Amino acid sequence: MEAGHEFLARLGKTKLRPGGVEGTNWLLEQVTLNEDTEVLTVACNRATDMIMMAERYGCRMTGVDRYRPALADAATNIAEAGLGHRLKVLRADARNLPFDDASFDIVMNEAMLTMMTDSSKAACIREYARVLRPGGALLTHDLCVRDVPAAVIDELRELLQISVNPLSLSGWTNLFRQNGFCQVHARTGRMHFLTPRALIEDEGVGGMLRIVRTALATPEDRQRLYAMQRFFRRYRRNLRYITVVSRRKS
């Protein structure tokens, strides 16, 4: 069975973030972005947010991802948007970024760290600190747990077919502080992932309808999408989104 994020991408989901547009917008409000800002986006997927940020703020952005199909789509989307002079993408592992020290003003990473072991999370965060300039900002958006029994995490792993390892609020903030960051400012909120509201906000009405039509085309896809929606609705008080702004130590 394909991993949850691959399944949703096949249905047509272009944005995979626990807090939806609300979480992303809050992060962007916490920093200054302009045409002189150098941004690295880790797990850039299809470059949807990169294109939005370049159009809105004029910043220069580099996106990295490990998955070749996502990068191919990203390159196509950037070219169609006419933003090849400001945006570029390449294949790279977040634990070993191919950039010099102090190369970026901002690193942005959404919906990826949860899918890694604790040691890999720490390795990624140390790399983010390395490539950031002193005082630079790390913007992260991920899954946060609150009073969740181990059996629920096991159920989530089975549902997504990936070994997710979400942390608590204190777990996340301590992780950043222990790996090169200070002034950690976190915000949590209720997840709207895969709700009709979130699908419309992220994908538009047309995009939501395409996802639903694709899922309804086969019983297996329909059942899996409904199972995901039921799971996140059932545990909405325990599974939340978290957005964190962390400043690199000088």
Side-chain angles (χ1 to χ4, degrees):
M1 184 184 294
E2 60 195 333
H5 61 284
E6 296 172 346
F7 165 70
L8 292 172
R10 179 169 58 78
L11 295 187
K13 192 84 172 67
T14 63
K15 301 181 183 69
L16 302 172
R17 46 194 183 183
V21 67
E22 174 185 317
T24 299
N25 285 343
W26 181 84
L27 285 172
L28 297 179
E29 289 166 1
Q30 310 310 305
V31 293
T32 299
L33 293 163
N34 54 48
E35 61 184 14
D36 296 321
T37 311
E38 294 279 358
V39 181
L40 171 65
T41 300
V42 181
C44 66
N45 197 16
R46 299 178 179 181
T48 307
D49 281 344
M50 290 178 64
I51 292 168
M52 175 274 290
M53 290 170 64
E55 291 177 339
R56 185 182 297 179
Y57 304 105
C59 47
R60 296 189 296 273
M61 304 187 68
T62 300
V64 298
D65 207 296
R66 293 178 62 188
Y67 297 99
R68 296 183 191 278
L71 288 171
D73 289 342
T76 298
N77 292 339
I78 289 168
E80 290 178 350
L83 289 169
H85 62 298
R86 286 207 166 266
L87 308 180
K88 62 180 179 180
V89 294
L90 65 152
R91 189 168 185 262
D93 189 320
R95 295 164 294 189
N96 185 25
L97 294 169
F99 307 112
D100 293 336
D101 296 357
S103 294
F104 299 95
D105 302 299
I106 291 170
V107 173
M108 190 164 186
N109 187 196
E110 297 188 284
M112 186 199 83
L113 291 172
T114 283
M115 295 188 289
M116 310 188 82
T117 64
D118 290 349
S119 60
S120 288
K121 287 182 179 69
C124 290
I125 294 167
R126 287 193 295 271
E127 274 293 271
Y128 302 163
R130 181 185 67 78
V131 302
L132 274 171
R133 295 174 179 129
L138 170 62
L139 310 181
T140 55
H141 180 173
D142 230 303
L143 182 62
C144 183
V145 293
R146 183 174 65 181
D147 301 323
V148 177
V152 174
I153 300 302
D154 289 341
E155 185 178 350
L156 179 60
R157 289 170 178 164
E158 177 66 23
L159 184 68
L160 299 182
Q161 289 294 295
I162 194 167
S163 185
V164 293
N165 295 281
L167 302 178
S168 65
L169 171 59
S170 61
W172 281 117
T173 55
N174 288 338
L175 186 67
F176 295 120
R177 290 192 176 104
Q178 292 165 4
N179 291 282
F181 289 90
C182 60
Q183 300 179 33
V184 178
H185 181 200
R187 175 178 182 263
T188 66
R190 178 179 172 181
M191 283 181 58
H192 300 292
F193 189 57
L194 296 183
T195 64
R197 167 189 160 185
L199 288 172
I200 291 172
E201 286 180 346
D202 277 349
E203 312 295 340
V205 174
M208 180 199 71
L209 292 174
R210 283 193 295 273
I211 291 168
V212 172
R213 281 197 299 265
T214 304
L216 292 177
T218 63
E220 295 81 5
D221 287 350
R222 179 176 67 249
Q223 290 167 10
R224 190 173 185 193
L225 180 61
Y226 286 169
M228 286 183 174
Q229 291 174 321
R230 286 194 303 270
F231 177 87
F232 287 114
R233 184 168 59 248
R234 184 185 316 135
Y235 297 110
R236 60 186 179 275
R237 292 176 180 162
N238 308 98
L239 299 172
R240 300 172 64 79
Y241 78 83
I242 184 168
T243 46
V244 189
V245 180
S246 307
R247 291 286 176 180
R248 180 191 182 276
K249 293 177 181 177
S250 299

